[in-house]
């Protein structure tokens, strides 16, 4: 990627004046871009001109946020008295400083185009979120905001307490005794992940964390309806390539919120307090068990890396093929080496190595290896007993100490600040378009991955 050009503006270091200044610049650049054909109809010189226009705007955003990100965040959150999720923050910033990031309407219009025909406005969102996470005060507060229960979960909690069951479409929550079962049932796409299914899974996770009758969560795939896997349970097939190809997988509401929200809640639970910078973690958390019957591809592998116990059927496998498609495998780059070593992690990420659960490397990810459903149920039950026998205080205290040693919040913040901009660039690189077109069977573009 070419170096970012010099900023075309001179900042005054006054927030209001500079906000007006950059908004005027962004409006001018939009006018220049509007003078070119839509992306699919551009010639190579026209696309080069469009890229130069976009690069000028991104250079200005980088300079503006380098100076004003803390003040901007405080303004958007009322001096950090309000919690805004990543998407809420980005769209609030779009309203406050026109042009700084795309509006909700602009992103909605972009989602009507295939990934290859998008202008790439989400990269501007990546710049914003990267800068917010790069600031210690704002970054910690945003991570705190993302680890709060979703409003849908608060609304559905009474239903769970009344019926012990909440069907969220692509996810199902059921309570059996002190165990909360989260079943992934995104049948149309073989449990592949997208914006909607990830949101449902996070709501389900919140419900299990919020219900005080539940001591532990179990994550498992439903029995598949796909002809190839009929009657077998499928854990997770990775990112939904159908929707990614059609431009319907978002940077912030999928790739970023998934890490800061859903997966963080499994690993760290809900964040308590007010989001101030602190080395002391204040969380409401519960242990989690994952059960893998067939495969855990991409994101499914990432899920296993934050679980307290993983049970798998012999013959199952895990992998992290996101590099093959052209993007980052979430926090897999940070976490997988802790399990299998850096050498094997590089083989998996760069060379698409499948890690079978029966192999020595697979046994570093999987705790219990079983051969049938009876063994799966017994291993889950034994793990539940072991993780709840001594009460939640000791278990959660030990979970916290393991995290503090292996992955403190500061490490996670640094990683996510880099992921936000790195993933944005990957999503719009020529490589991801080429890989989607060449490696993904066109016959499957309208259906199951």
């Amino acid at each position: 990627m070419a170096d970012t050009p010099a900023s075309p503006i001179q900042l005054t270091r006054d927030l209001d004046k500079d906000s007006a200044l950059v908004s005027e610049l962004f409006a001018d650049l939009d006018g220049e871009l509007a003078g070119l054909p839509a992306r699919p109809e551009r010639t190579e010189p026209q696309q080069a001109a469009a890229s130069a226009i976009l690069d000028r705007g991104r250079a200005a955003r980088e300079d503006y946020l380098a100076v004003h990100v803390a003040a901007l965040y405080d303004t958007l959150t009322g001096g950090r008295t309000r919690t805004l999720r990543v998407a809420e923050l980005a769209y609030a910033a779009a309203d406050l400083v026109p042009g700084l990031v795309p509006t909700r309407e602009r992103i909605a219009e972009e989602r009507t185009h295939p990934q290859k025909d998008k202008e790439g406005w989400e990269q501007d969102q990546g710049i914003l979120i990267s800068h917010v996470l790069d600031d210690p005060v704002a970054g910690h507060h945003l991570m705190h905001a993302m680890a709060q229960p979703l409003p849908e979960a608060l609304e559905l909690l009474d239903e769970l307490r009344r019926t012990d069951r909440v069907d969220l479409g692509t996810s199902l929550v059921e309570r059996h005794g002190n165990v909360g079962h989260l079943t992934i049932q995104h049948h149309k796409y073989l449990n592949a992940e997208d914006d909607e299914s990830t949101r449902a899974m996070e709501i389900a996770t919140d419900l299990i964390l919020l219900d005080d009758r539940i001591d532990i969560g179990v994550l498992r795939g439903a029995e598949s309806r796909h002809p190839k896997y009929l009657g077998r349970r499928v854990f997770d097939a990775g990112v939904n390539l159908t929707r990614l190809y059609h431009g319907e997988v978002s940077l912030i509401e999928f790739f970023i919120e998934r890490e800061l929200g859903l997966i963080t809640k499994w690993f760290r639970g809900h964040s308590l307090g007010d989001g101030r910078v602190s080395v002391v973690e204040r969380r409401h958390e519960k242990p989690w068990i994952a059960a893998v019957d067939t495969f855990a591809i991409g994101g499914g592998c990432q899920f296993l890396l934050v679980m307290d116990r993983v049970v798998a059927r012999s013959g199952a496998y895990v992998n992290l093929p996101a590099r093959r498609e052209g993007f980052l495998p979430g926090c897999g780059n940070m976490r997988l080496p802790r399990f299998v070593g850096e050498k094997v992690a590089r083989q998996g990420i760069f060379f698409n190595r499948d890690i079978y659960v029966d192999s020595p490397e697979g046994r570093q990810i999987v705790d219990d290896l079983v051969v049938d459903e009876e063994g799966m149920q017994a291993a889950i039950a034994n793990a539940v007993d072991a993780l709840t026998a001594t009460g939640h205080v000791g278990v959660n205290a030990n979970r916290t100490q393991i995290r503090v040693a292996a992955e403190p919040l500061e490490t996670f913040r640094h990683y996510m600040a880099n992921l936000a901009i790195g993933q944005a660039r990957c999503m719009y690189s020529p490589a991801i378009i080429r890989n989607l077109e060449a490696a993904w069977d066109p016959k499957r573009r309208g259906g199951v991955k």
Side-chain angles (χ1 to χ4, degrees):
M1 180 174 180
D3 291 337
T4 303
S7 175
I9 58 170
Q10 294 295 321
L11 297 173
T12 68
R13 306 190 79 81
D14 178 279
L15 177 64
D16 292 336
K17 291 180 181 178
D18 287 345
S19 296
L21 188 64
V22 294
S23 289
E24 183 179 356
L25 171 67
F26 299 144
D28 290 343
L29 294 175
D30 266 3
E32 291 183 39
L33 199 61
L36 296 169
R39 177 161 186 159
E41 283 79 45
R42 289 175 193 155
T43 63
E44 286 190 18
Q46 287 171 336
Q47 183 54 45
S51 297
I53 292 168
L54 294 169
D55 285 346
R56 286 163 60 200
R58 285 168 190 149
R61 287 179 182 90
E62 292 279 4
D63 281 4
Y64 171 85
L65 290 166
V67 174
H68 294 299
V69 68
L72 176 69
Y73 188 85
D74 278 358
T75 301
L76 293 170
T77 60
R80 302 187 302 284
T81 61
R82 293 191 301 138
T83 55
L84 296 177
R85 286 174 65 90
V86 168
E88 294 170 332
L89 182 74
Y91 293 127
D95 292 336
L96 183 66
V97 186
L100 180 65
V101 282
T103 62
R104 193 179 295 273
E105 293 73 24
R106 173 165 270 181
I107 291 296
E109 196 281 330
E110 277 266 273
R111 284 173 70 95
T112 65
H113 301 287
Q115 192 71 19
K116 65 178 180 176
D117 291 338
K118 286 184 173 184
E119 198 70 80
W121 297 113
E122 288 178 302
Q123 294 185 66
D124 303 333
Q125 295 175 325
I127 292 170
L128 170 67
I129 302 307
S130 179
H131 276 275
V132 170
L133 289 168
D134 193 27
D135 180 86
V137 175
H140 272 269
H141 192 266
L142 179 58
M143 292 192 300
H144 166 75
M146 283 300 305
Q148 301 304 307
L150 288 167
E152 299 98 316
L154 297 172
E155 293 170 3
L156 290 167
L157 184 57
D158 284 345
E159 180 181 337
L160 179 62
R161 287 171 172 162
R162 187 176 65 255
T163 68
D164 290 332
R165 189 177 191 273
V166 175
D167 192 334
L168 296 159
T170 55
S171 284
L172 173 67
V173 181
E174 297 175 294
R175 183 184 77 89
H176 298 289
N178 67 336
V179 182
H181 293 266
L182 197 172
T183 303
I184 312 169
Q185 52 182 27
H186 199 9
H187 293 296
K188 182 179 179 181
Y189 295 104
L190 206 60
N191 284 352
E193 302 171 59
D194 50 42
D195 292 30
E196 292 77 16
S197 67
T198 299
R199 181 85 176 190
M201 216 182 310
E202 187 173 347
I203 295 167
T205 298
D206 283 334
L207 286 169
I208 290 172
L209 289 171
L210 289 167
D211 191 333
D212 55 13
R213 302 171 303 168
I214 294 174
D215 296 323
I216 191 167
V218 174
L219 179 67
R220 196 178 185 187
E223 288 189 6
S224 178
R225 298 174 185 171
H226 189 283
K228 183 177 179 180
Y229 299 98
L230 193 64
R232 299 170 61 191
R233 290 179 181 266
V234 169
F235 188 70
D236 188 295
V239 68
N240 189 327
L241 291 180
T242 300
R243 291 192 166 169
L244 180 63
Y245 178 86
H246 289 294
E248 298 170 352
V249 174
S250 69
L251 172 69
I252 55 176
E253 289 168 294
F254 178 72
F255 283 110
I256 298 178
E257 289 198 351
R258 173 181 175 278
E259 302 297 332
L260 292 171
L262 170 64
I263 297 178
T264 286
K265 289 174 179 178
W266 288 331
F267 195 40
R268 290 186 161 91
H270 290 147
S271 178
L272 306 177
D274 59 8
R276 295 181 185 179
V277 178
S278 174
V279 297
V280 178
E281 290 197 24
R282 298 182 60 197
R283 325 292 294 194
H284 173 69
E285 60 186 284
K286 294 176 182 179
W288 284 85
I289 299 165
V292 180
D293 295 81
T294 49
F295 53 71
I297 296 173
C301 177
Q302 296 165 36
F303 293 172
L304 305 185
L305 305 180
V306 298
M307 294 286 142
D308 297 287
R309 193 79 174 178
V310 177
V311 181
R313 292 277 290 267
S314 179
Y317 69 91
V318 306
N319 64 17
L320 279 179
R323 201 284 310 161
R324 181 179 64 204
E325 275 108 22
F327 48 84
L328 293 168
C331 289
N333 308 63
M334 172 172 58
R335 293 171 179 154
L336 186 60
R338 297 204 297 258
F339 289 75
V340 299
E342 188 171 329
K343 177 68 72 175
V344 173
R346 286 180 181 273
Q347 292 170 359
I349 293 167
F350 292 127
F351 298 96
N352 310 314
R353 174 179 173 177
D354 293 334
I355 301 174
Y356 283 86
V357 298
D358 304 81
S359 69
E361 295 81 11
R363 294 309 306 270
Q364 297 302 308
I365 299 172
V366 170
D367 301 288
D368 297 307
L369 194 60
V370 302
V371 296
D372 55 20
E373 178 62 19
E374 183 180 353
M376 186 71 82
Q377 293 294 341
I380 293 171
N382 289 338
V384 168
D385 289 344
L387 287 167
T388 59
T390 58
H392 68 275
V393 175
V395 169
N396 291 336
N398 279 288
R399 292 181 92 235
T400 300
Q401 293 308 111
I402 291 172
R403 286 197 311 268
V404 168
E407 189 185 309
L409 276 172
E410 273 294 271
T411 298
F412 181 54
R413 181 177 69 83
H414 291 172
Y415 185 93
M416 288 303 302
N418 283 278
L419 182 138
I421 188 60
Q423 198 71 285
R425 291 168 178 161
C426 286
M427 285 181 69
Y428 292 95
S429 70
I432 194 172
I433 304 303
R434 182 179 64 249
N435 292 343
L436 282 172
E437 292 290 333
W440 183 36
D441 183 352
K443 294 178 182 178
R444 295 186 293 178
R445 290 174 185 169
V448 175
K449 174 182 178 290

